[in-house]
PDB file of all heavy atoms in Angstrom:
ATOM      1  N   MET A  26      -0.594 138.921  23.152  1.00  0.00           N
ATOM      2  CA  MET A  26       0.581 138.424  22.307  1.00  0.00           C
ATOM      3  C   MET A  26       0.150 137.119  21.699  1.00  0.00           C
ATOM      4  O   MET A  26      -0.488 136.246  22.372  1.00  0.00           O
ATOM      5  CB  MET A  26       1.736 138.158  23.300  1.00  0.00           C
ATOM      6  CG  MET A  26       3.035 137.726  22.516  1.00  0.00           C
ATOM      7  SD  MET A  26       4.424 137.587  23.673  1.00  0.00           S
ATOM      8  CE  MET A  26       4.653 139.249  24.151  1.00  0.00           C
ATOM      9  N   PRO A  27       0.481 136.877  20.412  1.00  0.00           N
ATOM     10  CA  PRO A  27      -0.027 135.625  19.614  1.00  0.00           C
ATOM     11  C   PRO A  27       0.516 134.474  20.381  1.00  0.00           C
ATOM     12  O   PRO A  27       1.689 134.364  20.909  1.00  0.00           O
ATOM     13  CB  PRO A  27       0.629 135.843  18.327  1.00  0.00           C
ATOM     14  CG  PRO A  27       0.865 137.259  18.166  1.00  0.00           C
ATOM     15  CD  PRO A  27       1.122 137.770  19.533  1.00  0.00           C
ATOM     16  N   LYS A  28      -0.286 133.372  20.363  1.00  0.00           N
ATOM     17  CA  LYS A  28       0.024 132.092  21.046  1.00  0.00           C
ATOM     18  C   LYS A  28       1.373 131.531  20.544  1.00  0.00           C
ATOM     19  O   LYS A  28       2.189 130.931  21.262  1.00  0.00           O
ATOM     20  CB  LYS A  28      -1.076 131.082  20.848  1.00  0.00           C
ATOM     21  CG  LYS A  28      -2.297 131.473  21.636  1.00  0.00           C
ATOM     22  CD  LYS A  28      -3.354 130.312  21.570  1.00  0.00           C
ATOM     23  CE  LYS A  28      -4.588 130.784  22.362  1.00  0.00           C
ATOM     24  NZ  LYS A  28      -5.664 129.680  22.273  1.00  0.00           N
ATOM     25  N   VAL A  29       1.618 131.638  19.208  1.00  0.00           N
ATOM     26  CA  VAL A  29       2.804 130.978  18.644  1.00  0.00           C
ATOM     27  C   VAL A  29       3.981 131.718  19.150  1.00  0.00           C
ATOM     28  O   VAL A  29       5.026 131.133  19.499  1.00  0.00           O
ATOM     29  CB  VAL A  29       2.791 131.238  17.057  1.00  0.00           C
ATOM     30  CG1 VAL A  29       4.094 130.728  16.409  1.00  0.00           C
ATOM     31  CG2 VAL A  29       1.700 130.411  16.523  1.00  0.00           C
ATOM     32  N   TYR A  30       4.017 133.062  19.273  1.00  0.00           N
ATOM     33  CA  TYR A  30       5.121 133.743  19.819  1.00  0.00           C
ATOM     34  C   TYR A  30       5.423 133.433  21.232  1.00  0.00           C
ATOM     35  O   TYR A  30       6.459 133.213  21.693  1.00  0.00           O
ATOM     36  CB  TYR A  30       4.876 135.294  19.755  1.00  0.00           C
ATOM     37  CG  TYR A  30       6.010 136.167  20.233  1.00  0.00           C
ATOM     38  CD1 TYR A  30       7.186 136.114  19.661  1.00  0.00           C
ATOM     39  CD2 TYR A  30       5.732 136.971  21.372  1.00  0.00           C
ATOM     40  CE1 TYR A  30       8.235 136.915  20.034  1.00  0.00           C
ATOM     41  CE2 TYR A  30       6.801 137.763  21.873  1.00  0.00           C
ATOM     42  CZ  TYR A  30       8.013 137.784  21.173  1.00  0.00           C
ATOM     43  OH  TYR A  30       9.036 138.486  21.687  1.00  0.00           O
ATOM     44  N   MET A  31       4.250 133.275  22.061  1.00  0.00           N
ATOM     45  CA  MET A  31       4.382 132.897  23.413  1.00  0.00           C
ATOM     46  C   MET A  31       5.027 131.458  23.611  1.00  0.00           C
ATOM     47  O   MET A  31       5.798 131.228  24.448  1.00  0.00           O
ATOM     48  CB  MET A  31       3.109 132.941  24.163  1.00  0.00           C
ATOM     49  CG  MET A  31       2.558 134.299  24.407  1.00  0.00           C
ATOM     50  SD  MET A  31       3.658 135.318  25.387  1.00  0.00           S
ATOM     51  CE  MET A  31       3.556 134.323  26.909  1.00  0.00           C
ATOM     52  N   SER A  32       4.681 130.583  22.677  1.00  0.00           N
ATOM     53  CA  SER A  32       5.107 129.275  22.645  1.00  0.00           C
ATOM     54  C   SER A  32       6.706 129.239  22.392  1.00  0.00           C
ATOM     55  O   SER A  32       7.399 128.642  23.100  1.00  0.00           O
ATOM     56  CB  SER A  32       4.427 128.424  21.594  1.00  0.00           C
ATOM     57  OG  SER A  32       5.030 127.113  21.514  1.00  0.00           O
ATOM     58  N   LYS A  33       7.140 130.144  21.500  1.00  0.00           N
ATOM     59  CA  LYS A  33       8.513 130.174  21.255  1.00  0.00           C
ATOM     60  C   LYS A  33       9.275 130.797  22.391  1.00  0.00           C
ATOM     61  O   LYS A  33      10.400 130.299  22.724  1.00  0.00           O
ATOM     62  CB  LYS A  33       8.741 130.980  19.950  1.00  0.00           C
ATOM     63  CG  LYS A  33      10.321 131.113  19.605  1.00  0.00           C
ATOM     64  CD  LYS A  33      10.508 131.608  18.245  1.00  0.00           C
ATOM     65  CE  LYS A  33      10.047 130.783  17.102  1.00  0.00           C
ATOM     66  NZ  LYS A  33      10.448 131.193  15.786  1.00  0.00           N
ATOM     67  N   ILE A  34       8.743 131.864  23.036  1.00  0.00           N
ATOM     68  CA  ILE A  34       9.337 132.444  24.243  1.00  0.00           C
ATOM     69  C   ILE A  34       9.419 131.383  25.324  1.00  0.00           C
ATOM     70  O   ILE A  34      10.518 131.242  25.910  1.00  0.00           O
ATOM     71  CB  ILE A  34       8.547 133.604  24.718  1.00  0.00           C
ATOM     72  CG1 ILE A  34       8.681 134.794  23.711  1.00  0.00           C
ATOM     73  CG2 ILE A  34       9.053 134.053  26.170  1.00  0.00           C
ATOM     74  CD1 ILE A  34       7.829 135.886  24.042  1.00  0.00           C
ATOM     75  N   GLY A  35       8.420 130.501  25.466  1.00  0.00           N
ATOM     76  CA  GLY A  35       8.420 129.506  26.519  1.00  0.00           C
ATOM     77  C   GLY A  35       9.522 128.507  26.298  1.00  0.00           C
ATOM     78  O   GLY A  35      10.181 128.098  27.207  1.00  0.00           O
ATOM     79  N   VAL A  36       9.623 128.057  25.086  1.00  0.00           N
ATOM     80  CA  VAL A  36      10.680 127.022  24.855  1.00  0.00           C
ATOM     81  C   VAL A  36      12.031 127.607  24.985  1.00  0.00           C
ATOM     82  O   VAL A  36      12.986 126.931  25.449  1.00  0.00           O
ATOM     83  CB  VAL A  36      10.468 126.425  23.392  1.00  0.00           C
ATOM     84  CG1 VAL A  36      10.883 127.337  22.314  1.00  0.00           C
ATOM     85  CG2 VAL A  36      11.296 125.109  23.296  1.00  0.00           C
ATOM     86  N   ILE A  37      12.262 128.850  24.556  1.00  0.00           N
ATOM     87  CA  ILE A  37      13.556 129.427  24.700  1.00  0.00           C
ATOM     88  C   ILE A  37      13.893 129.619  26.213  1.00  0.00           C
ATOM     89  O   ILE A  37      15.045 129.394  26.602  1.00  0.00           O
ATOM     90  CB  ILE A  37      13.643 130.836  24.015  1.00  0.00           C
ATOM     91  CG1 ILE A  37      13.462 130.528  22.455  1.00  0.00           C
ATOM     92  CG2 ILE A  37      14.960 131.487  24.268  1.00  0.00           C
ATOM     93  CD1 ILE A  37      13.289 131.947  21.685  1.00  0.00           C
ATOM     94  N   SER A  38      12.921 130.086  26.919  1.00  0.00           N
ATOM     95  CA  SER A  38      13.114 130.256  28.372  1.00  0.00           C
ATOM     96  C   SER A  38      13.410 128.947  29.029  1.00  0.00           C
ATOM     97  O   SER A  38      14.354 128.858  29.887  1.00  0.00           O
ATOM     98  CB  SER A  38      11.816 130.918  29.023  1.00  0.00           C
ATOM     99  OG  SER A  38      11.581 132.135  28.467  1.00  0.00           O
ATOM    100  N   GLY A  39      12.603 127.919  28.688  1.00  0.00           N
ATOM    101  CA  GLY A  39      12.954 126.670  29.276  1.00  0.00           C
ATOM    102  C   GLY A  39      14.292 126.092  28.816  1.00  0.00           C
ATOM    103  O   GLY A  39      14.965 125.423  29.631  1.00  0.00           O
ATOM    104  N   LEU A  40      14.736 126.341  27.560  1.00  0.00           N
ATOM    105  CA  LEU A  40      16.067 125.842  27.148  1.00  0.00           C
ATOM    106  C   LEU A  40      17.112 126.458  27.938  1.00  0.00           C
ATOM    107  O   LEU A  40      17.998 125.830  28.427  1.00  0.00           O
ATOM    108  CB  LEU A  40      16.241 126.241  25.656  1.00  0.00           C
ATOM    109  CG  LEU A  40      17.522 125.945  25.099  1.00  0.00           C
ATOM    110  CD1 LEU A  40      17.838 124.399  25.220  1.00  0.00           C
ATOM    111  CD2 LEU A  40      17.707 126.400  23.606  1.00  0.00           C
ATOM    112  N   MET A  41      16.993 127.777  28.299  1.00  0.00           N
ATOM    113  CA  MET A  41      17.961 128.486  29.066  1.00  0.00           C
ATOM    114  C   MET A  41      18.114 127.832  30.436  1.00  0.00           C
ATOM    115  O   MET A  41      19.181 127.560  30.978  1.00  0.00           O
ATOM    116  CB  MET A  41      17.632 130.010  29.185  1.00  0.00           C
ATOM    117  CG  MET A  41      17.693 130.738  27.902  1.00  0.00           C
ATOM    118  SD  MET A  41      19.333 130.821  27.105  1.00  0.00           S
ATOM    119  CE  MET A  41      19.097 129.566  25.827  1.00  0.00           C
ATOM    120  N   ALA A  42      16.984 127.559  31.061  1.00  0.00           N
ATOM    121  CA  ALA A  42      16.966 126.996  32.347  1.00  0.00           C
ATOM    122  C   ALA A  42      17.512 125.607  32.398  1.00  0.00           C
ATOM    123  O   ALA A  42      18.297 125.233  33.286  1.00  0.00           O
ATOM    124  CB  ALA A  42      15.492 126.943  32.940  1.00  0.00           C
ATOM    125  N   LEU A  43      17.189 124.765  31.417  1.00  0.00           N
ATOM    126  CA  LEU A  43      17.702 123.441  31.332  1.00  0.00           C
ATOM    127  C   LEU A  43      19.182 123.385  31.044  1.00  0.00           C
ATOM    128  O   LEU A  43      19.868 122.584  31.630  1.00  0.00           O
ATOM    129  CB  LEU A  43      16.953 122.602  30.345  1.00  0.00           C
ATOM    130  CG  LEU A  43      17.242 121.085  30.412  1.00  0.00           C
ATOM    131  CD1 LEU A  43      16.736 120.507  31.732  1.00  0.00           C
ATOM    132  CD2 LEU A  43      16.600 120.286  29.245  1.00  0.00           C
ATOM    133  N   LEU A  44      19.613 124.309  30.180  1.00  0.00           N
ATOM    134  CA  LEU A  44      21.081 124.367  29.964  1.00  0.00           C
ATOM    135  C   LEU A  44      21.815 124.779  31.191  1.00  0.00           C
ATOM    136  O   LEU A  44      22.918 124.276  31.459  1.00  0.00           O
ATOM    137  CB  LEU A  44      21.363 125.472  28.827  1.00  0.00           C
ATOM    138  CG  LEU A  44      21.003 124.893  27.488  1.00  0.00           C
ATOM    139  CD1 LEU A  44      21.099 126.030  26.473  1.00  0.00           C
ATOM    140  CD2 LEU A  44      21.770 123.723  26.999  1.00  0.00           C
ATOM    141  N   ALA A  45      21.198 125.485  32.046  1.00  0.00           N
ATOM    142  CA  ALA A  45      21.892 125.894  33.299  1.00  0.00           C
ATOM    143  C   ALA A  45      22.078 124.619  34.176  1.00  0.00           C
ATOM    144  O   ALA A  45      23.037 124.331  34.800  1.00  0.00           O
ATOM    145  CB  ALA A  45      20.981 126.831  34.102  1.00  0.00           C
ATOM    146  N   MET A  46      20.979 123.831  34.243  1.00  0.00           N
ATOM    147  CA  MET A  46      20.973 122.555  35.052  1.00  0.00           C
ATOM    148  C   MET A  46      22.040 121.641  34.402  1.00  0.00           C
ATOM    149  O   MET A  46      22.830 120.993  35.176  1.00  0.00           O
ATOM    150  CB  MET A  46      19.671 121.871  35.054  1.00  0.00           C
ATOM    151  CG  MET A  46      18.546 122.623  35.651  1.00  0.00           C
ATOM    152  SD  MET A  46      16.870 121.918  35.422  1.00  0.00           S
ATOM    153  CE  MET A  46      17.145 120.278  35.996  1.00  0.00           C
ATOM    154  N   THR A  47      22.096 121.563  33.131  1.00  0.00           N
ATOM    155  CA  THR A  47      23.002 120.672  32.479  1.00  0.00           C
ATOM    156  C   THR A  47      24.527 121.064  32.708  1.00  0.00           C
ATOM    157  O   THR A  47      25.376 120.267  32.900  1.00  0.00           O
ATOM    158  CB  THR A  47      22.714 120.617  30.874  1.00  0.00           C
ATOM    159  OG1 THR A  47      21.457 120.216  30.757  1.00  0.00           O
ATOM    160  CG2 THR A  47      23.710 119.630  30.248  1.00  0.00           C
ATOM    161  N   SER A  48      24.707 122.395  32.654  1.00  0.00           N
ATOM    162  CA  SER A  48      26.071 122.844  32.703  1.00  0.00           C
ATOM    163  C   SER A  48      26.595 123.175  34.162  1.00  0.00           C
ATOM    164  O   SER A  48      27.801 123.142  34.365  1.00  0.00           O
ATOM    165  CB  SER A  48      26.248 124.119  31.866  1.00  0.00           C
ATOM    166  OG  SER A  48      25.441 125.131  32.369  1.00  0.00           O
ATOM    167  N   CYS A  49      25.683 123.450  35.087  1.00  0.00           N
ATOM    168  CA  CYS A  49      26.162 123.848  36.425  1.00  0.00           C
ATOM    169  C   CYS A  49      25.870 122.885  37.556  1.00  0.00           C
ATOM    170  O   CYS A  49      26.557 122.969  38.589  1.00  0.00           O
ATOM    171  CB  CYS A  49      25.455 125.200  36.694  1.00  0.00           C
ATOM    172  SG  CYS A  49      25.771 126.456  35.565  1.00  0.00           S
ATOM    173  N   LYS A  50      24.990 121.924  37.406  1.00  0.00           N
ATOM    174  CA  LYS A  50      24.612 121.109  38.458  1.00  0.00           C
ATOM    175  C   LYS A  50      25.734 119.991  38.666  1.00  0.00           C
ATOM    176  O   LYS A  50      26.137 119.368  37.752  1.00  0.00           O
ATOM    177  CB  LYS A  50      23.282 120.399  38.144  1.00  0.00           C
ATOM    178  CG  LYS A  50      22.376 120.301  39.368  1.00  0.00           C
ATOM    179  CD  LYS A  50      21.036 119.801  39.011  1.00  0.00           C
ATOM    180  CE  LYS A  50      20.107 119.686  40.210  1.00  0.00           C
ATOM    181  NZ  LYS A  50      18.854 119.262  39.936  1.00  0.00           N
ATOM    182  N   ASP A  51      26.038 119.736  39.884  1.00  0.00           N
ATOM    183  CA  ASP A  51      26.990 118.737  40.258  1.00  0.00           C
ATOM    184  C   ASP A  51      26.342 117.467  40.515  1.00  0.00           C
ATOM    185  O   ASP A  51      25.747 117.277  41.596  1.00  0.00           O
ATOM    186  CB  ASP A  51      27.827 119.158  41.480  1.00  0.00           C
ATOM    187  CG  ASP A  51      28.950 118.228  41.763  1.00  0.00           C
ATOM    188  OD1 ASP A  51      29.289 117.421  40.934  1.00  0.00           O
ATOM    189  OD2 ASP A  51      29.462 118.371  42.868  1.00  0.00           O
TER     190      ASP A  51
END
């Protein structure tokens, strides 16, 4: 898989995880 595509997948995955922390963590 091209590196650019993997980079975008990585940032999207990370965004989802961080948004979870931002919205759910007490």
Side-chain angles (χ1 to χ4, degrees):
M26 185 175 294
K28 291 183 179 179
V29 173
Y30 180 65
M31 288 299 296
S32 176
K33 181 170 287 190
I34 290 176
V36 73
I37 295 169
S38 300
L40 176 59
M41 296 297 102
L43 190 63
L44 286 172
M46 294 170 60
T47 303
S48 60
C49 301
K50 219 172 181 182
D51 184 15

